[in-house]
């Protein structure tokens, strides 16, 4: 009986040592995500917003900055047209229980497009008509830069 227990303990220690050597060999090989050539140059930034004003030439979005500050972004309506290539402005419907937000997509640091995720119902309190005296500058912009 003692010889059987001793043989079992010896066999278990050999199995554990072999498994330990195998994991050491696996960790020494580089992982796919550690390679520098496997990194995408496309980046995105999600920003929550409070209000979107609809005017004749642009959308004015009041977005959330750090803390309790509010920033303003002007998005020209011409970006939603497909005249000069791919559209730069796309609208998506907000999923249930998620607030409105916009996703700014950049490729190599250059602006590509903005995805505005907002309720499609224009009677939602997020949507508003721009006041008649509101001055909107930047309706002819080609890129979108925001401060956080």
């Amino acid at each position: 009986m003692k010889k059987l227990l001793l043989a079992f303990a010896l066999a278990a220690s050999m199995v554990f040592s072999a498994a330990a050597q195998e994991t050491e060999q696996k960790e020494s090989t580089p992982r796919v995500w550690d390679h520098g050539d496997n990194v995408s140059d496309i980046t995105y930034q999600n920003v929550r917003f409070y209000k979107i004003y609809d005017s004749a030439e642009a959308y004015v979005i009041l977005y959330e900055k750090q803390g309790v500050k509010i920033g303003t972004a002007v998005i020209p309506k011409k970006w939603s047209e497909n005249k000069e290539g791919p559209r730069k402005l796309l609208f998506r419907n907000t999923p249930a229980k998620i607030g409105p937000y916009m996703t700014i997509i950049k490729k190599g640091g250059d602006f590509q497009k903005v995805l505005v995720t907002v309720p499609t119902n224009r009677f939602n309190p997020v949507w508003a008509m721009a006041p008649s005296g509101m001055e909107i500058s930047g309706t002819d912009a080609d890129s979108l830069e925001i401060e956080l």
Side-chain angles (χ1 to χ4, degrees):
M1 185 73 174
K2 289 181 182 179
K3 289 182 182 180
L4 183 62
L5 287 173
L6 184 62
F8 180 71
L10 183 61
S13 66
M14 287 181 168
V15 169
F16 289 132
S17 65
Q21 287 177 355
E22 185 177 317
T23 58
E24 286 175 9
Q25 290 174 356
K26 285 182 181 178
E27 290 178 5
S28 65
T29 59
R31 296 182 176 147
V32 173
W33 55 84
D34 289 339
H35 293 293
D37 60 343
N38 198 21
V39 178
S40 176
D41 60 345
I42 296 176
T43 59
Y44 69 93
Q45 184 177 25
N46 287 330
V47 181
R48 293 190 299 182
F49 65 87
Y50 301 112
K51 187 70 90 177
I52 182 167
Y53 289 104
D54 189 2
S55 71
E57 296 178 357
Y59 297 104
V60 180
I61 296 179
L62 301 180
Y63 65 91
E64 180 180 285
K65 291 173 100 175
Q66 293 178 355
V68 294
K69 298 179 183 176
I70 296 177
T72 304
V74 176
I75 301 175
K77 285 187 174 181
K78 68 178 182 177
W79 288 1
S80 62
E81 300 169 358
N82 195 4
K83 292 182 180 175
E84 302 170 359
R87 294 188 303 172
K88 293 183 180 182
L89 173 62
L90 299 169
F91 283 97
R92 300 185 293 186
N93 192 16
T94 305
K97 299 183 182 179
I98 294 180
Y101 65 95
M102 64 180 167
T103 304
I104 300 166
I105 300 174
K106 296 181 179 182
K107 185 173 184 178
D110 297 329
F111 173 76
Q112 289 293 308
K113 62 182 163 183
V114 60
L115 303 170
V116 179
T117 306
V118 65
T120 54
N121 182 3
R122 296 289 177 114
F123 294 112
N124 190 297
V126 172
W127 286 96
M129 293 299 294
S132 60
M134 186 179 207
E135 292 184 20
I136 302 171
S137 61
T139 58
D140 57 349
D142 289 332
S143 67
L144 179 63
E145 296 295 327
I146 62 169
E147 297 177 18
L148 290 180

